[in-house]
Amino acid sequence: MIPVKGYAAQTPETDLAPWNFERRDVGPHDVQFDILFCGVCHSDLHQIKNDWFPGIFPMVPGHEIVGRVVKVGSHVTKFKVGDLAGTGCLVDSCRHCENCAQDLEQYCLNGSSQTYNGLEQDHKTPTYGGYSNSIVVNEDFTLHISEKLDLAATAPLLCAGITTYSPLRHWKVGKGHKLAVLGLGGLGHMAVKFGVAFGAEVTVLSTSPKKEADAKALGAHHFVVTSDPEQIKAAKNSFDFILDTVSAPHDFNMYLGLLRTNGVHICVGVPPEPASIHAFSLLGGRKSLAGSGIGGLAETQEMLDFCAEHNIVSDIEMIDIKDITTAYERMQKGDVRYRFVIDIATL
Ligand code: NAP
Ligand code: ZN
Ligand code: ZN
């Protein structure tokens, strides 16, 4: 076994603190890489707080992981020692169900292995995430990271990037479309960058008036303050798509009213409580309410390659691991510009 230093929540009530654990030895198809940076996703906070379901504790969060390969198994062909490598939200899946067969491992019908707060494919061994100094992952679930981009700013692409890229590609959002990005946080700011790169006319819908200048600097064409009834009235019937990245309860019926006929409201944010949606909000204008979860391995690599080609990374604020609780508190208040990334050297 390989000794690893990490940061863990021991229970949903306790703050994260140093915790040492072990990872499996490098198997024939495994890659071991030293973690250099790990992004902080709002899902980390939801999960250590049991917002969605009872978690597996101790929990080492982190699924926006980048680093450098230090060891490869005897059968590994895709990586060599010294390569940059990354891992997102998945470390394995059944690989044979109809979704896995279509490169949709995130929707594995037999249960994919989440990078943390999950179980390996033996359905027994808990997984531990990227708030740690080393990880062992099967090469098929390890991503190639470009040397061209700033490495720390690349880490958030592994979740915030793919989670917004995948639905925009699936619904073929681009030139001629009006896209609204609801919530300007980690996912939202990546959605703006991709929406603009794909040629859509992008509006940010935000609760934070002070984010307007940032939204425009990110490339957004318009900005709507959602607490202002006049601005909401003016935005009615105007969007083809809303990409909803909000982490807290919000009024879906109001936002569905902003869609044009045949418009699609795509949920990627996962508030802890279920929403109440009136059928009238959907049937007037034949609207759709949809959802999307992260992305498969092939699409994640496609997104990383797209970002390398178009020089797209996340806007980050680097933090020391000892400041993680303060970062969570700020994230909870919407005060994130626009992704915290942990410098793992501080561990
Ligand atoms: P984040 O950085 O905290 O951003 C969320 C943003 O939502 C905030 O910055 C804020 O933007 C807005 N917001 C927060 N509270 C709000 C409220 N009460 N009403 C309206 N807007 C509010 O979070 P994130 O890391 O981007 O994650 C966003 C959500 O996506 C989380 O629920 C996370 O678990 C989920 N997620 C889902 C997937 C997936 O596969 N579908 C993957 C990753 C994350 P403004 O200040 O602009 O209003
Ligand atoms: Zn995430
Ligand atoms: Zn499967």
Side-chain angles (χ1 to χ4, degrees):
M1 298 293 274
I2 299 168
V4 177
K5 283 205 298 190
Y7 245 58
Q10 298 295 327
T11 74
E13 289 77 38
T14 51
D15 286 344
L16 265 68
W19 184 63
N20 293 340
F21 61 102
E22 291 182 321
R23 297 202 188 268
R24 66 168 182 266
D25 288 322
V26 176
H29 299 280
D30 287 338
V31 172
Q32 182 190 0
F33 62 97
D34 280 348
I35 300 174
L36 297 172
F37 301 102
C38 185
V40 178
C41 180
H42 207 116
S43 304
D44 301 348
L45 183 56
H46 285 307
Q47 291 185 86
I48 60 164
K49 294 299 173 204
N50 276 352
D51 270 357
W52 298 331
F53 45 78
I56 302 167
F57 290 87
M59 192 187 298
V60 179
H63 57 206
E64 296 184 335
I65 308 169
V66 292
R68 223 172 256 288
V69 176
V70 292
K71 194 170 181 182
V72 297
S74 52
H75 291 13
V76 167
T77 57
K78 299 175 194 157
F79 291 88
K80 57 181 191 322
V81 171
D83 285 351
L84 287 177
T87 286
C89 303
L90 301 174
V91 288
D92 212 347
S93 70
C94 88
R95 299 162 183 245
H96 56 71
C97 72
E98 66 178 46
N99 287 345
C100 286
Q102 293 180 77
D103 294 326
L104 295 170
E105 299 88 353
Q106 76 273 34
Y107 306 130
C108 176
L109 297 172
N110 297 306
S112 59
S113 297
Q114 303 288 310
T115 300
Y116 69 87
N117 194 22
L119 298 173
E120 298 284 1
Q121 286 299 299
D122 62 6
H123 300 288
K124 284 199 294 266
T125 311
T127 55
Y128 300 114
Y131 296 9
S132 62
N133 64 355
S134 194
I135 192 163
V136 178
V137 187
N138 186 288
E139 68 168 332
D140 295 335
F141 284 75
T142 309
L143 285 312
H144 288 283
I145 305 290
S146 170
E147 298 274 357
K148 281 203 313 209
L149 299 175
D150 179 77
L151 187 61
T154 302
L157 301 178
L158 275 310
C159 176
I162 185 60
T163 301
T164 50
Y165 180 94
S166 183
L168 295 178
R169 284 303 199 208
H170 177 76
W171 275 279
K172 300 185 170 55
V173 178
K175 222 172 159 30
H177 288 139
K178 292 189 176 178
L179 166 69
V181 173
L182 179 51
L184 193 64
L187 268 55
H189 93 292
M190 291 310 306
V192 171
K193 292 189 186 208
F194 288 132
V196 170
F198 299 165
E201 185 177 328
V202 178
T203 300
V204 169
L205 306 176
S206 176
T207 60
S208 310
K210 59 186 187 308
K211 290 182 183 171
E212 178 164 1
D214 290 347
K216 299 274 171 69
L218 289 163
H221 305 93
H222 315 282
F223 188 86
V224 170
V225 179
T226 53
S227 55
D228 179 345
E230 285 305 312
Q231 292 192 39
I232 286 292
K233 200 169 147 201
K236 280 206 169 126
N237 302 309
S238 56
F239 304 117
D240 299 293
F241 299 95
I242 295 175
L243 190 61
D244 178 350
T245 75
V246 173
S247 52
H250 53 289
D251 182 0
F252 280 74
N253 300 296
M254 179 179 93
Y255 295 112
L256 286 163
L258 307 187
L259 287 173
R260 301 168 75 182
T261 300
N262 296 324
V264 186
H265 182 122
I266 308 162
C267 302
V268 289
V270 190
E273 293 90 30
S276 167
I277 291 144
H278 203 291
F280 277 134
S281 304
L282 295 167
L283 64 84
R286 198 164 49 199
K287 292 165 186 174
S288 304
L289 181 61
S292 183
I294 48 171
L297 271 294
E299 192 175 41
T300 304
Q301 190 63 62
E302 175 193 306
M303 177 275 309
L304 288 165
D305 296 346
F306 180 89
C307 288
E309 195 183 323
H310 294 86
N311 207 21
I312 294 174
V313 288
S314 177
D315 290 17
I316 65 163
E317 184 175 336
M318 191 98 79
I319 60 162
D320 190 304
I321 188 116
K322 72 172 168 37
D323 298 325
I324 186 66
T325 303
T326 311
Y328 284 155
E329 285 162 7
R330 285 183 50 197
M331 191 162 68
Q332 191 74 38
K333 287 188 281 186
D335 176 21
V336 44
R337 294 176 181 232
Y338 278 86
R339 196 60 142 186
F340 294 111
V341 170
I342 304 166
D343 179 358
I344 295 297
T346 63
L347 196 104

